[in-house]
Amino acid sequence: MIDGLGRVEPGGPAEDAATRSALRDLVMAATVRIHGPERGYVPEGSGGSFLGSGFFIAPSWVLTCAHVALQGEGRDVTVIFETGPRSGETSVAGTVVAALPEPAPEHLPGELGPAGPRGGGWPAPDLALVRLRRPVEHACVYVTERPAAFFGGGAVLYSGWTEVGGRIKRLSGQLAVQGTVGGWSDPEDEQVRLGGDVLPPGVSGGPAVDLARGEVVGVLKSQLVGGMGGTSIGIERLRSLPVPAAMAEAEADDDYQAVFHAHDRYHADRQLTRADTGWTWADVQTSLGAGADRALSPQQRILLLGRLAELPPPVSTHSLLDLLVRLPGVHRVERYPAPRSWRDGLGVLYETRGGGAALELVLRYCMSAIAAERPYVTGATAAAEEALWDWVKFIADDRLSRDFRNEIALLWSAARHRTDRAQRRAAPAYGERPRAGERSFVLLELEPRGWERDSYDWRVGVARHSGEVLPVAEDSRGTPGNALPTRLTGSLAEAFRRCDEPDSPAVLQVAVVRQQLGLEVEGWRLAPDEPPLGALRPVVVRCSDREPPLSEEEAREYRSRWSRTADAAIRAEIIDCEDGLRVPVPQEERLRSLAYETVPVLCRYAARPDGETAAGLGRVVRGGFHVALLRRGESRPEAVCAEFHRRAAHTVAEADGAEQLPRILMELRQGVHAGRAEMFWSDGVALFYDDPHHPLPGSGQLLEAP
């Protein structure tokens, strides 16, 4: 009930029951069952093709579990649903367009785990998006925009399908929230523990709805074998869907943005229509009191999200994070996974502050979205910006001070008089884009466990220009070397998303001890059908060995050598090979006599360097060199290496400074992967790149402004 002042009061028993019933009807109307592709299948019977449950997350889009959707034949499925009591069943073909994670090509879907709610054979997050092949009328759930699974109470409503007496029937029920499984060291594997009811086979892939707030927060993944309850995956894991490498040119170029823009427009349209007098999700949320502690009522929130969904999406996660931290009172966003869309950014604001300042923060965020850099514009973009401004102005005029209204009016005036509606990337609407050497990068630290052969502890973080490293994930339990690519896939993907810009992937710096610099991280494949990591982004290595403290004179010389090579003409110097024969790396005094613009090249480094080779690189480091090329691979003393010397010298000379070398080496690796013979000389070459302006955590080096 709502009192005369507009405050939500608890309803009576009859009203509470009506609200819960309305919520259950909304959930069940959007819940579907997933079958294999139709080939003579009769929907009323079990037919042997029933795979599990799912739900409409947006018009023409179904969300389910990967272990459900990929148990069929290939990526084709049949979606069967009912829109209401006695409405009859509708059957429509669909295609799995994305799975998290995607199965390895050598595995058949049936080998990865049984269909049904157990799902034990498919790793988290175990989500799949199905796109319908033809338009049909159907209901959609409302999905939370919060940055992580949040429960306003201690129970969730679930819905799904199961076989009873040889027939497939829908069911619903309640589960108690009992805690989590995973997290911290395994953030990509975190699941919510649910109990209090038996989850029968078939409900896996169905929605988990927060009963206190009336919004979908998760997807049922597994049942507890021999017990009550199971687990669900947070809906926010969809943020880890693959991000297009190139700049999006339309909404459909990014599945994540396409799904949630359609979701938010759907609910805004349902809230505004006069043709349907039934309960909407916002009506249910209002009756539940879900807006009592928020700056916006459920109706206002849904209408705002609908207007934000008319705008082109943020250029990147990195740009959205930058926009958020520029708002007053918003602190660094550390939630995993990071926000990706305008709706995700709004969800971040819910956890920052309360009181009267909360509404001002939301409206400032809207003004930032209006002024933000665009990946593309359409003929409707200007009208969408004006519609959002009209909403902001209406809310501000009704509830906020004259000073604040004047402030945002000036922001709107500046935005609408821009002539660059397309927002050229060279001149963003907020802040200054950093130079190449000032961008954030991903830092992977690998620490060998000396008492366990070929085993590593690791940390993944985002290193900012300030020198701060923001942690993403870590594991100190020991990971075998051959398992590192698989184990690190989710954490690296999240870190990359926080740094990447379209057409400009962030650098991956791999910090290992000197004896392990032969580790070919650039050859890892983080997804079954992806090229090697080094062909997708710049990958460089650096030493994590602790070096003795530098004297003041040595430190000055090191800085001078780096400054000379960073963005000026450079040249290569082969230091361990003469006339095709291996020679010792010169002593430090001889190395220091080389010109400051020199880039040492170790032709005979090999994949597993011996003690002398590792010691030679140590002399290079102590000689003040921050950049070097290391030729890895099998040690072949009889090999003729003149062509390598020639090509390496030419490549270094063509670079406009050492800051260009990481991307030049990425282009060479792309050429090797594409089979371009003229680039084969670079196969196995690593770039040692130890930027003194970004010292490793705990190194004790002082940060110098560039």
Side-chain angles (χ1 to χ4, degrees):
M1 293 188 297
I2 302 178
D3 67 11
L5 298 177
R7 295 173 302 197
V8 177
E9 291 184 335
E15 184 172 345
D16 289 345
T19 301
R20 293 293 178 91
S21 177
L23 176 61
R24 188 175 71 92
D25 289 346
L26 288 171
V27 174
M28 295 182 71
T31 303
V32 307
R33 65 181 197 256
I34 310 293
H35 290 255
E38 283 187 342
R39 289 187 177 89
Y41 167 71
V42 180
E44 287 77 7
S46 64
S49 68
F50 174 52
L51 303 178
S53 302
F55 55 95
F56 283 114
I57 189 174
S60 298
W61 290 94
V62 170
L63 180 61
T64 183
C65 284
H67 80 262
V68 170
L70 292 179
Q71 292 295 324
E73 300 178 29
R75 302 177 79 91
D76 295 333
V77 297
T78 299
V79 176
I80 300 175
F81 63 96
E82 298 173 291
T83 57
R86 295 176 295 280
S87 63
E89 292 183 334
T90 299
S91 175
V92 60
T95 301
V96 179
V97 298
L100 296 172
E102 289 283 354
E106 63 270 19
H107 289 138
L108 297 174
E111 295 175 334
L112 290 175
R118 284 182 175 84
W122 206 288
D126 191 10
L127 297 175
L129 272 177
V130 176
R131 184 170 53 207
L132 302 188
R133 293 187 191 167
R134 64 178 177 88
V136 292
E137 288 293 324
H138 60 79
C140 297
V141 302
Y142 182 85
V143 173
T144 184
E145 66 272 25
R146 285 182 176 270
F150 179 87
F151 300 93
V156 296
L157 168 70
Y158 73 90
S159 175
W161 296 79
T162 189
E163 288 195 45
V164 179
R167 300 195 64 183
I168 304 173
K169 295 186 178 182
R170 65 165 64 246
L171 77 161
S172 64
Q174 291 188 25
L175 293 163
V177 179
Q178 296 183 327
T180 60
V181 178
W184 287 27
S185 63
D186 290 300
E188 70 273 15
D189 191 41
E190 185 177 32
Q191 301 175 43
V192 176
R193 294 173 52 239
L194 303 171
D197 195 4
V198 175
L199 290 176
V203 299
S204 187
V209 184
D210 178 13
L211 275 170
R213 295 189 177 275
E215 54 192 24
V216 173
V217 293
V219 181
L220 296 179
K221 170 175 167 55
S222 65
Q223 71 176 152
L224 183 61
V225 178
M228 305 277 280
T231 65
S232 74
I233 293 291
I235 204 81
E236 75 282 354
R237 296 293 151 187
L238 277 177
R239 298 180 188 179
S240 57
L241 283 168
V243 178
M247 178 76 78
E249 297 180 356
E251 182 179 278
D253 290 346
D254 186 334
D255 288 338
Y256 182 84
Q257 305 292 355
V259 166
F260 280 106
H261 278 206
H263 169 280
D264 290 336
R265 291 194 293 260
Y266 168 90
H267 286 287
D269 291 344
R270 295 303 179 279
Q271 195 61 33
L272 291 171
T273 186
R274 298 181 180 179
D276 186 356
T277 58
W279 286 75
T280 67
W281 283 83
D283 295 336
V284 169
Q285 291 164 359
T286 300
S287 186
L288 289 172
D293 59 344
R294 295 186 180 181
L296 303 176
S297 69
Q299 291 89 347
Q300 290 171 333
R301 176 183 64 162
I302 278 178
L303 295 179
L304 170 57
L305 288 172
R307 282 170 168 75
L308 288 172
E310 299 288 352
L311 296 175
V315 167
S316 64
T317 291
H318 178 266
S319 67
L320 179 58
L321 290 172
D322 189 32
L323 181 151
L324 285 168
V325 298
R326 290 172 184 269
L327 294 172
V330 177
H331 304 293
R332 189 174 65 218
V333 179
E334 294 182 340
R335 287 286 188 174
Y336 178 76
R340 181 167 172 176
S341 65
W342 295 126
R343 77 182 326 263
D344 300 338
L346 183 65
V348 169
L349 303 185
Y350 298 161
E351 299 190 347
T352 55
R353 60 171 69 184
L359 181 59
E360 288 191 6
L361 184 62
V362 168
L363 299 190
R364 290 184 195 277
Y365 175 72
C366 293
M367 298 309 298
S368 295
I370 290 173
E373 185 179 0
R374 305 273 185 245
Y376 59 84
V377 293
T378 69
T381 299
E385 293 174 349
E386 188 160 359
L388 180 55
W389 161 247
D390 289 342
W391 183 89
V392 169
K393 185 175 184 300
F394 174 80
I395 297 296
D397 287 346
D398 182 56
R399 297 172 58 183
L400 296 175
S401 69
R402 183 188 300 272
D403 287 345
F404 180 80
R405 299 199 304 269
N406 290 340
E407 178 185 345
I408 60 172
L410 291 175
L411 294 175
W412 167 244
S413 178
R416 69 179 175 147
H417 286 104
R418 280 197 333 266
T419 58
D420 59 336
R421 285 283 180 189
Q423 304 236 12
R424 301 289 180 239
R425 299 192 71 232
Y430 57 91
E432 294 296 331
R433 189 172 299 284
R435 296 186 301 124
E438 299 175 0
R439 281 187 57 182
S440 298
F441 62 87
V442 176
L443 177 63
L444 168 61
E445 298 178 84
L446 297 173
E447 183 178 342
R449 296 164 69 90
W451 60 96
E452 295 181 23
R453 181 178 177 82
D454 194 32
S455 181
Y456 300 84
D457 295 339
W458 53 265
R459 289 175 295 277
V460 175
V462 172
R464 299 174 62 88
H465 178 54
S466 62
E468 183 181 24
V469 177
L470 308 180
V472 173
E474 63 179 302
D475 190 340
S476 58
R477 297 168 297 180
T479 302
N482 60 3
L484 283 173
T486 301
R487 182 70 182 84
L488 286 163
T489 293
S491 300
L492 287 175
E494 171 67 14
F496 293 150
R497 189 166 62 84
R498 297 189 187 189
C499 299
D500 285 349
E501 295 285 355
D503 305 311
S504 182
V507 175
L508 171 62
Q509 293 195 9
V510 184
V512 292
V513 296
R514 195 170 298 126
Q515 289 79 5
Q516 298 288 333
L517 287 176
L519 191 65
E520 296 190 29
V521 176
E522 72 277 5
W524 291 357
R525 295 177 187 264
L526 301 187
D529 298 326
E530 278 190 355
L533 189 55
L536 295 174
R537 66 181 59 253
V539 179
V540 303
V541 296
R542 59 193 303 180
C543 290
S544 58
D545 303 77
R546 291 289 188 94
E547 297 289 344
L550 300 176
S551 67
E552 185 175 342
E553 182 179 351
E554 287 174 330
R556 184 165 50 250
E557 181 182 354
Y558 280 29
R559 290 193 295 270
S560 298
R561 191 176 289 279
W562 170 261
S563 298
R564 186 73 65 87
T565 60
D567 54 7
I570 52 179
R571 63 182 182 86
E573 180 82 19
I574 311 295
I575 61 173
D576 67 342
C577 184
E578 292 181 5
D579 300 326
L581 297 176
R582 174 177 172 174
V583 297
V585 173
Q587 296 300 313
E588 296 167 33
E589 293 77 9
R590 168 75 177 88
L591 291 170
R592 288 197 180 97
S593 68
L594 297 175
Y596 278 8
E597 62 268 20
T598 301
V599 174
V601 179
L602 280 73
C603 173
R604 302 285 178 166
Y605 190 77
R608 293 188 177 274
D610 56 26
E612 171 53 32
T613 302
L617 180 60
R619 293 196 289 275
V620 171
V621 173
R622 290 190 297 274
F625 293 90
H626 299 279
V627 181
L629 289 179
L630 313 178
R631 188 190 189 193
R632 298 176 302 188
E634 296 300 323
S635 180
R636 296 183 297 272
E638 73 284 357
V640 177
C641 47
E643 177 68 6
F644 171 79
H645 294 185
R646 187 181 302 112
R647 295 277 194 172
H650 176 75
T651 298
V652 171
E654 288 292 308
D656 294 326
E659 287 184 348
Q660 302 301 317
L661 287 179
R663 299 194 180 275
I664 289 175
L665 203 58
M666 177 185 70
E667 293 169 1
L668 290 170
R669 289 164 176 162
Q670 290 171 340
V672 171
H673 178 66
R676 296 180 58 181
E678 73 274 17
M679 296 183 176
F680 285 176
W681 69 270
S682 65
D683 189 26
V685 171
L687 177 62
F688 173 78
Y689 194 86
D690 190 29
D691 186 347
H693 299 308
H694 295 95
L696 293 175
S699 64
Q701 299 181 38
L702 296 178
L703 180 66
E704 291 284 340

